Amino acid sequence: MFFDIGPLELIALVILAILVFGPEKLPKVIQDTARFIRKVREFSDSARDDIRRELGPEFKDFDFEDLNPKNFARKHLLENEDLGLKEIRNGFDLRQELAEVTDAVNGREIAPGGSVASGTGTAAPSPGGSGVDLHKPGQAPGTDPPPYDADAT
């Protein structure tokens, strides 16, 4: 409904108000509350008009909600086409870059047409069949690496 109050909560508030103030005083309390809200609204409107008048004619269309940081950022940064932020944001397509890195790690090359070809570059197939050479540069590809010795480290 309004102020994030549901219908059941509103009914509970009405019943609570009847119990606290009683049915005789409740109409007077409602009138006083409505009068107070009306005066606060009039005061804020007059203060807003005074500020606009003091700022001058160049701020005639000034909206106070623009001072909210969320609205300010949305209006001046995200909707401003002069900055080109939409193009910059769209330029960060990480999916293509991640696909290229994945293909490079797996030893595949991307053909000019966009299809993935089996890698024939520097990566020599290892005995495990992963397609990546895990041997040291001075070691022959057909030999097994020395066993790992946990006590030596």
Side-chain angles (χ1 to χ4, degrees):
M1 216 167 151
F2 57 88
F3 296 120
D4 221 13
I5 297 176
L8 291 177
E9 294 167 342
L10 187 62
I11 291 171
L13 287 175
V14 169
I15 292 172
L16 183 65
I18 291 173
L19 291 175
V20 170
F21 297 110
E24 297 86 24
K25 293 183 181 180
L26 190 59
K28 175 87 168 109
V29 171
I30 292 173
Q31 288 175 352
D32 291 341
T33 304
R35 189 176 305 121
F36 175 74
I37 291 173
R38 200 172 17 252
K39 285 187 180 187
V40 168
R41 195 173 289 158
E42 289 173 5
F43 175 74
S44 66
D45 289 341
S46 67
R48 186 181 308 132
D49 292 339
D50 289 343
I51 291 173
R52 283 193 179 139
R53 186 173 45 250
E54 292 294 326
L55 287 175
E58 60 270 3
F59 292 102
K60 181 181 178 185
D61 295 331
F62 179 72
D63 190 12
F64 286 94
E65 298 204 4
D66 290 341
L67 295 177
N68 183 349
K70 183 178 179 181
N71 295 338
F72 182 83
R74 183 180 300 128
K75 181 177 180 182
H76 293 288
L77 294 178
L78 300 178
E79 294 177 2
N80 192 351
E81 295 296 328
D82 297 337
L83 296 176
L85 291 177
K86 289 183 181 177
E87 291 83 15
I88 292 172
R89 188 178 339 134
N90 293 336
F92 289 121
D93 186 18
L94 297 177
R95 282 177 266 159
Q96 179 66 26
E97 293 177 20
L98 287 175
E100 291 174 3
V101 169
T102 303
D103 292 337
V105 167
N106 290 333
R108 296 179 288 188
E109 294 179 3
I110 298 177
S115 62
V116 177
S118 175
T120 58
T122 60
S126 66
S130 66
V132 179
D133 186 15
L134 300 177
H135 296 286
K136 293 182 180 176
Q139 192 175 13
T143 62
D144 291 330
Y148 177 73
D149 187 9
D151 295 330
T153 56

